[in-house]
Amino acid sequence: MVRLRASGLGSLALLLLLASVDAFYIPGYSIKSYKPGEPIPLMVNKAYSDSTQLQYAYYELPFVCPPSDHPKSVGGLLSGKNVPLNLGEVLRGDRIRTSDIELIMNKETTCTALCTKELNKDDLQRAKEMIQDTYVTEWIVDNLPGATSFVSVDKTRKYYASGFKLGYSETSPSTGQTHYYLNNHHTIVIRYRKAPGKAGDRGENIVVGFEVYPKSIGSDSKRDTQGCPVDLEHVERGLELHIGPNITIDTAPRYADGKSRQTERRSDDESEDGTLTVPYTYSVYFREDNTIEWSHRWDLYFVNQEDGARIHWLAIINSLIICGMLTAIVMIIFARTVHSDIKGYKETLESKSRGKRVRKDAPAGLLDQRSSAADDDLSDTEEALEDITGWKLLHTDVFRAPQHGYLLAPLVGSGMQLLFMAMGLVLLSALGFLNPSFRGGFISVGVGLFVFAGVFSGYFSARVFKSFDGKDYRKNAMVTALLFPGLMFGLVFIVNLFVWAQASSTAIPFGTLVLIVVLWLCFQVPLVFAGAYYGFEKAGGWQHPTKATAIPRQLPNHAWYSKSVQAVLLAGLIPFAVIFIELLFVFQSLWQNKSGFYYMFGFLAVVSVILVVTIAEVTVVTIYIQLCSENYHWWWQSFFVGGGSALWIFAYSVWYYMFKLHITGFVSSMLFFVYTFIACCVYGLLTGTIGFLSAYAFVRRIYGAIKVD
């Protein structure tokens, strides 16, 4: 088993290195410089939208220039060649390929013809639908996504939005008809500065910005022999997605001012069986910009989000206030209530013990003289014991193994696995290793950490299982290794079938699914068994301070707020209030502004620590109230209370979908709810495990304190 564990770790590390080597670099160290006249590769990736979850590979769109599939004159790169992707890039829908657009350092081109594309009726309809859904395109130069440039309202700051629009639409004020225009000319602006060190002394430059300005130029614009517009600055009309005569000009109506007015009339009998010719062109300009450091070239993508820093600080203060109040309540419970209960319980037991010794050890001559006093002492002791109520009466039942403990142990193990993964991701992101320049790195590292954390999953699951008097650790390890990952893989596979039918790049390729299954069954499962063996055979189960009796105690009636469902909902509301504001930023980044990047991992790390403390304290208070109600079924309850805020997050997701998002289509809606459900399950398992371990430590502490030898 040890040999299997070592082999699994080595193979996993090798796979992760192979999967990540093409994309990872440390900002400020891995600088790529270009000599004057050296080609700069331009990659095309995908088209995506904030109003739908379906993405499409750029070269698979029927209305764009296809790759020429021949070596380019610069660099010898094969046009249309696929760029190696890591696992995270594939899972996030990236499909990066080299393009025919030629960029040469410091060589500007006013206009270059790219291709001429003939569009039929179906191609036009597809383009109209994507323009209506506000799709944007992502191109990549030197690992920077092509950006649309904006200026703040006060014109003091410039910021980028990743991607640029495929086209735009306009509604005619006279007819109310919507006209769609396709952007068929792209002005590319490369911002550069002198390279640092010896490379700069050799005259080499580095890229610090990549901007794309799309424009729609109609077929009626005058063009030269190469197919380029003669005047790019003054374009009268864009390229409308319409087959047939677009407009007829009627100058007949004249008005009192003597001027004529042009009116548009669309022919009703125009043919839709023809084709539309779309000429694609591009321009390239280079601008030296010494105000941007290479290590800070991504900052422009985040400038528009800096205003949220104040909101983040307010959220942290709000979370600290809630956590502080809970801490005060827990301290009161420990310092006053529990401490006084334990002290009184011990004094009562000691008094009872002294009374028994008086009756047993007294001499025969003194027995009659002391019998009256001893009977009085025992009477007082029995009255004192009758006053003992609440959690102190449960010392013989509180550690009784729960029902369905064979399921609770694997869930706790999976929660520890997810907790390790989440801590690693947040820490690496907060330190800057998982930055936007490491494309797909967050997902790739997350998968690697999850697989490796199978050791912790098996270890904790086995120890909890043995604490519940479990016997067959192999069966428990198999359930741990297959239960949660199997549920997640099944959901993803079913959803993937629907996305496959849409020919979207969001669909996970079959080869990638096979790789995931291999990582799961060939690496994670053996690691789970290795951890389970050590946890069950070497570490063993936790020893409880009290023993359970053969006959369980009958449960009394409980108050409404201490019942399972109500307690979970009420207790889950407090952690949800702690993370609500940060959750809003995460939702905006994931669902509303996919062209942006979530980067506030420092704030997220602080909020995560506060969340862990809050969940632990809420669970302790809830379980204490339950034990005071003489209900010893706290094992499952502590897990559900810890993960109760996941229910509120899912409810918030439903509200967010209904009132904040504008997602259209059944498949996109299904993607939203399935992935949200998976995220809530991950969060619920993670926080439920925190609640379970916190409650277990609390119960062990208080019942260990009342144990009298």
Side-chain angles (χ1 to χ4, degrees):
M1 185 65 69
V2 175
R3 181 180 301 174
L4 178 63
R5 178 183 175 187
S7 175
L9 290 177
S11 301
L12 175 62
L14 179 61
L15 276 178
L16 291 179
L17 286 175
L18 291 176
S20 303
V21 70
D22 293 316
F24 180 70
Y25 70 94
I26 303 297
Y29 295 94
S30 305
I31 300 178
K32 172 63 177 176
S33 58
Y34 300 90
K35 302 175 182 178
E38 182 179 355
I40 305 174
L42 188 147
M43 312 293 179
V44 297
N45 189 6
K46 59 186 177 182
Y48 56 90
S49 171
D50 294 337
S51 59
T52 179
Q53 307 307 312
L54 298 176
Q55 306 173 87
Y56 298 95
Y58 181 78
Y59 272 152
E60 293 180 3
L61 300 178
F63 49 85
V64 304
C65 284
S68 58
D69 295 328
H70 65 79
K72 297 167 61 176
S73 59
V74 288
L77 295 175
L78 184 64
S79 174
K81 180 181 179 181
N82 290 321
V83 176
L85 304 176
N86 59 42
L87 179 61
E89 289 176 307
V90 176
L91 293 179
R92 68 195 293 263
D94 288 349
R95 302 294 184 266
I96 304 177
R97 301 175 69 179
T98 58
S99 73
D100 284 321
I101 297 177
E102 296 182 357
L103 302 180
I104 300 177
M105 177 57 72
N106 292 337
K107 181 181 179 180
E108 297 185 348
T109 58
T110 305
C111 181
T112 302
L114 186 61
C115 79
T116 300
K117 181 74 173 177
E118 296 290 334
L119 307 183
N120 58 29
K121 179 182 177 181
D122 294 335
D123 298 338
L124 261 65
Q125 184 61 32
R126 178 72 181 280
K128 289 179 181 179
E129 291 174 353
M130 297 190 70
I131 292 173
Q132 185 178 13
D133 289 335
T134 63
Y135 271 85
V136 298
T137 304
E138 182 178 88
W139 292 354
I140 302 171
V141 168
D142 197 45
N143 207 32
L144 282 177
T148 302
S149 178
F150 296 93
V151 179
S152 59
V153 178
D154 56 3
K155 298 182 179 180
T156 59
R157 292 183 301 175
K158 176 183 177 181
Y159 61 93
Y160 286 161
S162 180
F164 52 91
K165 292 184 178 181
L166 284 173
Y168 62 94
S169 61
E170 291 180 352
T171 302
S172 174
S174 58
T175 64
Q177 188 175 8
T178 302
H179 304 273
Y180 296 92
Y181 299 90
L182 181 67
N183 292 325
N184 59 332
H185 179 83
H186 300 90
T187 300
I188 300 172
V189 177
I190 304 295
R191 299 192 176 274
Y192 70 95
R193 64 175 298 161
K194 182 179 178 181
K198 295 181 179 179
D201 297 336
R202 295 192 299 265
E204 298 180 12
N205 300 311
I206 55 176
V207 176
V208 294
F210 174 33
E211 303 170 5
V212 181
Y213 300 91
K215 180 179 289 188
S216 180
I217 302 177
S219 56
D220 54 348
S221 297
K222 187 177 180 180
R223 297 176 180 269
D224 58 18
T225 56
Q226 302 297 326
C228 288
V230 176
D231 188 358
L232 287 171
E233 297 295 330
H234 303 89
V235 178
E236 295 181 359
R237 185 174 179 82
L239 180 68
E240 184 177 0
L241 294 173
H242 174 72
I243 298 176
N246 290 336
I247 60 171
T248 58
I249 307 300
D250 185 3
T251 58
R254 292 186 176 273
Y255 300 89
D257 57 4
K259 297 181 179 179
S260 63
R261 299 288 177 88
Q262 292 181 350
T263 59
E264 298 181 7
R265 296 200 308 270
R266 182 172 299 280
S267 174
D268 295 331
D269 59 349
E270 57 195 21
S271 174
E272 292 288 345
D273 296 330
T275 60
L276 175 66
T277 301
V278 179
Y280 278 95
T281 55
Y282 65 93
S283 304
V284 180
Y285 297 95
F286 287 84
R287 297 290 182 265
E288 186 173 6
D289 193 339
N290 294 318
T291 62
I292 305 174
E293 294 289 341
W294 191 91
S295 58
H296 297 284
R297 61 180 186 165
W298 282 87
D299 292 354
L300 288 175
Y301 294 89
F302 305 140
V303 170
N304 193 35
Q305 305 178 36
E306 287 183 354
D307 296 335
R310 182 177 300 177
I311 301 177
H312 281 281
W313 283 114
L314 292 176
I316 290 177
I317 294 175
N318 172 71
S319 302
L320 286 173
I321 292 174
I322 296 175
C323 185
M325 295 175 61
L326 281 172
T327 303
I329 294 174
V330 172
M331 293 300 295
I332 291 174
I333 291 176
F334 270 110
R336 299 184 59 183
T337 308
V338 176
H339 182 71
S340 60
D341 285 352
I342 292 174
K343 183 178 179 181
Y345 184 84
K346 285 186 174 182
E347 290 177 352
T348 301
L349 292 182
E350 290 175 358
S351 176
K352 180 180 178 181
S353 178
R354 286 195 303 269
K356 288 183 177 180
R357 288 196 297 270
V358 168
R359 295 291 299 270
K360 180 178 180 180
D361 300 335
L366 298 177
L367 183 60
D368 294 336
Q369 300 177 5
R370 297 183 180 179
S371 61
S372 178
D375 290 339
D376 293 339
D377 291 340
L378 287 175
S379 177
D380 295 339
T381 301
E382 291 172 357
E383 291 179 0
L385 286 173
E386 291 177 357
D387 293 335
I388 296 177
T389 58
W391 64 271
K392 299 177 291 297
L393 296 176
L394 305 179
H395 64 280
T396 58
D397 295 283
V398 71
F399 292 107
R400 189 180 303 278
Q403 292 183 344
H404 310 295
Y406 59 89
L407 287 179
L408 180 58
L411 292 179
V412 172
S414 298
M416 289 302 301
Q417 185 177 11
L418 294 171
L419 180 61
F420 176 85
M421 179 192 73
M423 290 175 58
L425 287 176
V426 173
L427 179 61
L428 291 175
S429 300
L431 294 176
F433 291 100
L434 299 181
N435 51 72
S437 63
F438 185 4
R439 194 181 305 273
F442 192 88
I443 299 177
S444 297
V445 174
V447 172
L449 289 175
F450 180 81
V451 173
F452 173 75
V455 174
F456 300 96
S457 175
Y459 174 81
F460 282 93
S461 176
R463 295 203 66 182
V464 173
F465 181 70
K466 192 167 186 179
S467 300
F468 294 159
D469 300 325
K471 303 301 181 183
D472 189 358
Y473 84 90
R474 294 180 180 86
K475 181 179 179 181
N476 173 73
M478 182 61 69
V479 174
T480 304
L482 300 181
L483 179 61
F484 173 71
L487 174 63
M488 298 300 101
F489 181 83
L491 289 174
V492 171
F493 181 78
I494 293 174
V495 171
N496 210 52
L497 295 177
F498 289 89
V499 182
W500 266 338
Q502 301 292 322
S504 170
S505 66
T506 307
I508 304 175
F510 180 76
T512 304
L513 287 176
V514 173
L515 174 61
I516 292 175
V517 172
V518 170
L519 288 174
W520 173 24
L521 298 181
C522 298
F523 294 97
Q524 192 231 359
V525 172
L527 290 174
V528 171
F529 272 87
Y533 170 79
Y534 187 83
F536 193 89
E537 299 292 346
K538 302 298 182 180
W542 287 297
Q543 299 299 319
H544 306 314
T546 60
K547 301 296 183 181
T549 58
I551 302 176
R553 182 183 181 86
Q554 186 176 0
L555 298 178
N557 294 327
H558 305 133
W560 67 270
Y561 55 82
S562 63
K563 294 181 180 180
S564 180
V565 176
Q566 291 88 329
V568 169
L569 292 176
L570 289 175
L573 187 60
I574 300 176
F576 176 73
V578 169
I579 65 171
F580 174 74
I581 298 179
E582 196 65 33
L583 187 67
L584 179 62
F585 282 92
V586 174
F587 269 55
Q588 287 178 346
S589 177
L590 290 177
W591 302 115
Q592 274 191 292
N593 188 24
K594 293 189 289 295
S595 61
F597 307 92
Y598 180 84
Y599 72 102
M600 295 287 191
F601 286 101
F603 290 106
L604 183 62
V606 176
V607 173
S608 298
V609 173
I610 299 175
L611 175 66
V612 170
V613 176
T614 302
I615 290 174
E617 293 176 342
V618 166
T619 307
V620 166
V621 173
T622 305
I623 296 304
Y624 176 74
I625 294 175
Q626 178 177 331
L627 294 177
C628 288
S629 301
E630 301 181 15
N631 182 357
Y632 56 86
H633 295 307
W634 63 273
W635 298 97
W636 278 102
Q637 184 74 350
S638 63
F639 187 86
F640 289 139
V641 167
S645 53
L647 299 175
W648 290 101
I649 293 177
F650 189 80
Y652 174 72
S653 301
V654 175
W655 177 88
Y656 197 87
Y657 171 84
M658 296 176 61
F659 297 101
K660 292 294 184 180
L661 298 181
H662 303 285
I663 295 179
T664 58
F666 169 76
V667 177
S668 293
S669 299
M670 182 177 61
L671 281 172
F672 173 83
F673 283 109
V674 170
Y675 286 144
T676 300
F677 175 76
I678 292 176
C680 290
C681 288
V682 170
Y683 173 87
L685 277 176
L686 192 152
T687 54
T689 300
I690 295 173
F692 173 85
L693 296 178
S694 302
Y696 182 70
F698 170 73
V699 173
R700 279 179 58 91
R701 174 70 178 85
I702 61 175
Y703 283 96
I706 66 173
K707 184 179 179 181
V708 179
D709 297 330

